[in-house]
Amino acid sequence: MQGPLRSAAVAILLVAALGALAGCGYRLVSYRGALGDVRRVSIHTLRNDSLAAGYGATVTEALLDEFQRRGALQVVSDPALADLTIGGRILPIYSGARSFSSTVLALEYQVTVQIQLDVRRRDGTLVPIDPGAMTETEIYVASADAEAALTNRNEALRRVASVIAGRVHDALFERLMP
């Protein structure tokens, strides 16, 4: 194809692709201004009701990291300065074997984490979040070495914290859009 003909073909393909995406319900998302009057968020350390030592701090750190990474809201430590406060707790963590070898040894385990959040606007209004956004399961490999097994479990718990933090962020944006 020659220059002008090629440019026209590319333009037609681009318009067709954009039309197909719009027809499927896809649209561009802009985080700036999506929360209306909410500009600052304060995230309190989550209470850990699980047996995983320090896991409340792990999930809290994941939430802080997610909100700072996305950059749509300024994270502040003083709740008096925040337009939105997030607190809550980690429920007991379910952990169990998922698959077994022919000699009935566990090959994989899974952990399921569920958190409960209390998200409030400055005026005290509760902002409900879909409970599905606050539950996640992760599979990890079993090991005969106790240190390796613990490392695998802790890494799975870190991944779960990160996934939940991303979901909570997204759920808040969906919930608070004007």
Side-chain angles (χ1 to χ4, degrees), residues 105-168:
L105 296 173
L107 298 174
E108 294 176 320
Y109 287 95
Q110 72 178 21
V111 291
T112 301
V113 175
Q114 183 176 9
I115 66 173
Q116 289 179 340
L117 292 181
D118 181 49
V119 181
R120 295 191 182 269
R121 287 182 171 271
R122 182 186 299 263
D123 63 4
T125 307
L126 183 65
V127 178
I129 299 179
D130 176 20
M134 298 184 288
T135 303
E136 177 65 13
T137 299
E138 180 72 30
I139 299 168
Y140 64 96
V141 178
S143 176
D145 179 7
E147 284 296 317
L150 182 60
T151 299
N152 292 348
R153 183 175 192 273
N154 288 340
E155 191 56 39
L157 287 171
R158 274 191 287 282
R159 284 191 303 270
V160 165
S162 179
V163 168
I164 288 176
R167 286 185 186 162
V168 165

Side-chain angles (χ1 to χ4, degrees), residues 13-174:
L13 286 174
L14 182 60
V15 168
L18 290 174
L21 288 175
C24 295
Y26 289 101
R27 60 188 170 91
L28 297 175
V29 176
S30 173
Y31 284 139
R32 300 276 183 232
L35 292 174
D37 62 339
V38 176
R39 300 282 180 258
R40 293 177 301 271
V41 64
S42 176
I43 301 172
H44 303 278
T45 303
L46 301 181
R47 189 175 80 210
N48 186 11
D49 291 342
S50 76
L51 297 177
Y55 197 58
T58 300
V59 176
T60 302
E61 184 178 316
L63 285 167
L64 286 166
D65 289 347
E66 190 69 21
F67 277 85
Q68 289 170 343
R69 183 180 67 81
R70 301 266 186 114
L73 296 175
Q74 178 186 3
V75 178
V76 296
S77 57
D78 185 0
L81 299 175
D83 302 314
L84 196 67
T85 58
I86 300 174
R89 69 188 188 114
I90 311 294
L91 297 176
I93 295 172
Y94 168 77
S95 184
R98 179 172 158 80
S99 64
F100 299 91
S101 70
S102 60
T103 57
V104 194
L105 296 173
L107 298 174
E108 294 176 320
Y109 287 95
Q110 72 178 21
V111 291
T112 301
V113 175
Q114 183 176 9
I115 66 173
Q116 289 179 340
L117 292 181
D118 181 49
V119 181
R120 295 191 182 269
R121 287 182 171 271
R122 182 186 299 263
D123 63 4
T125 307
L126 183 65
V127 178
I129 299 179
D130 176 20
M134 298 184 288
T135 303
E136 177 65 13
T137 299
E138 180 72 30
I139 299 168
Y140 64 96
V141 178
S143 176
D145 179 7
E147 284 296 317
L150 182 60
T151 299
N152 292 348
R153 183 175 192 273
N154 288 340
E155 191 56 39
L157 287 171
R158 274 191 287 282
R159 284 191 303 270
V160 165
S162 179
V163 168
I164 288 176
R167 286 185 186 162
V168 165
H169 183 276
D170 292 344
L172 282 174
F173 271 85
E174 287 175 14

